[in-house]
Amino acid sequence: MNAVTRNLRVVRRMTAAEIAQQSVYRGAWIIFMLANITVPIISLLIWRTALASGAELPVDERYVTTYFVLLGFVTMATSSWMAGFLATDIRMGKLSSWMVRPASLLVGFVANNVSEKFLKLFALVPMIGIVWWIFRDSMNIPADAGRWLLFAVSILLGAVLVFTIDILIASLAFWMDDVSALVQARVIVASVLSGAVVPLALMPSWSRGFVDHQPFRYTVSFPVEIVAGQLSGRELLAGLGFQLGYVVLFALIARVVWSAGIRAYSAVGA
């Protein structure tokens, strides 16, 4: 059995165990997901009011509505929360116990991430479905199944990209006593540059070159743009190329830093 097959089997079994364990907190998932869509809905109402009042924006009402209705789902689906936990495990020496196990500690975080998203979807999808139904006449709903397939692929790549960025930041804990400031900085920067706060289409024209090509766009904004925007076939392919390129780049850097950290790691039992 090769390493990939073995790790996939471990992820599957650990995901099932995590789902069973976390199912205890069903009420908490509903509250978390309610909070997840509250901010996008408030933003949606504000921007629609601005448009109705005559504000001149580079996007129309249908784009704004589709963007914010999908935003809560995409933000949740591509999110990662493991950087702080992984850094703590490294700093506290908990990594030692994983070194004698048949799978990496990172496999455990993959299972945790997948299981939590699986449970959150059950709470989030009905909520977004209600909002979708309310605003259905003001949304861009592509009839092309291929565009929805690209939307799903882009979400998967965005989730992998965020996860690898978190591994890269957490791996610095091999040499730094505290990376919490870096983790918080990543959250703040990503919330702005990913389009989670304001659609990137509304950014100033002088910033377009940077905004359109920086990696955080491909964690939230680009998947939403596939459905909400009017991206041409060429722009879609170019965007997916950039997204895949960033995934490979950050995965390679994270692997190099993680491997170097493992070699430098020293703790009781290591």
Side-chain angles (χ1 to χ4, degrees):
M1 183 184 304
N2 60 45
V4 174
T5 304
R6 184 186 63 199
N7 283 333
L8 288 176
R9 290 186 60 180
V10 172
V11 168
R12 179 172 59 83
R13 293 183 178 181
M14 291 186 70
T15 300
E18 289 275 356
I19 289 174
Q21 180 181 359
Q22 296 173 26
S23 296
V24 177
Y25 309 106
R26 293 186 294 274
W29 295 133
I30 294 175
I31 295 173
F32 287 152
M33 293 303 97
L34 190 59
N36 187 277
I37 66 168
T38 297
V39 174
I41 290 175
I42 292 174
S43 298
L44 169 61
L45 297 177
I46 291 174
W47 286 108
R48 283 173 63 95
T49 301
L51 285 167
S53 301
E56 295 184 1
L57 302 178
V59 293
D60 58 16
E61 184 185 74
R62 300 184 73 85
Y63 180 95
V64 169
T65 304
T66 309
Y67 191 95
F68 283 110
V69 169
L70 291 176
L71 185 59
F73 171 77
V74 175
T75 301
M76 186 280 295
T78 61
S79 64
S80 172
W81 46 86
M82 53 87 74
F85 295 105
L86 177 57
T88 300
D89 286 350
I90 294 171
R91 188 175 67 254
M92 300 300 291
K94 294 182 179 179
L95 197 59
S96 302
S97 62
W98 282 87
M99 289 184 164
V100 295
R101 298 182 184 183
S104 167
L105 172 63
L106 299 181
V107 173
F109 278 107
V110 171
N112 176 270
N113 199 292
V114 172
S115 63
E116 288 205 15
K117 287 177 180 175
F118 178 80
L119 289 172
K120 287 174 179 176
L121 280 175
F122 279 99
L124 184 62
V125 169
M127 297 179 189
I128 292 181
I130 293 173
V131 179
W132 182 296
W133 178 258
I134 294 173
F135 293 103
R136 64 188 184 284
D137 293 332
S138 303
M139 294 180 60
N140 292 327
I141 304 177
D144 181 10
R147 190 165 288 255
W148 289 105
L149 177 61
L150 291 178
F151 175 65
V153 171
S154 184
I155 287 177
L156 177 61
L157 290 174
V160 175
L161 178 56
V162 176
F163 194 78
T164 54
I165 291 174
D166 267 11
I167 293 176
L168 176 59
I169 294 174
S171 297
L172 298 178
F174 284 115
W175 300 277
M176 299 173 63
D177 291 334
D178 189 0
V179 299
S180 58
L182 291 175
V183 174
Q184 188 62 28
R186 197 279 288 172
V187 172
I188 295 173
V189 171
S191 65
V192 176
L193 294 182
S194 68
V197 176
V198 177
L200 297 183
L202 301 180
M203 290 290 186
S205 57
W206 55 263
S207 67
R208 298 305 312 174
F210 168 73
V211 167
D212 290 345
H213 297 96
Q214 47 84 26
F216 293 110
R217 176 197 175 199
Y218 299 94
T219 62
V220 174
S221 180
F222 180 68
V224 180
E225 290 170 27
I226 292 176
V227 176
Q230 302 294 329
L231 298 178
S232 65
R234 184 175 181 178
E235 289 170 330
L236 282 172
L237 290 177
L240 287 171
F242 269 103
Q243 194 176 31
L244 181 60
Y246 277 127
V247 168
V248 173
L249 175 63
F250 278 97
L252 289 174
I253 296 174
R255 180 180 176 82
V256 170
V257 176
W258 176 262
S259 298
I262 290 292
R263 289 193 294 273
Y265 177 70
S266 177
V268 176

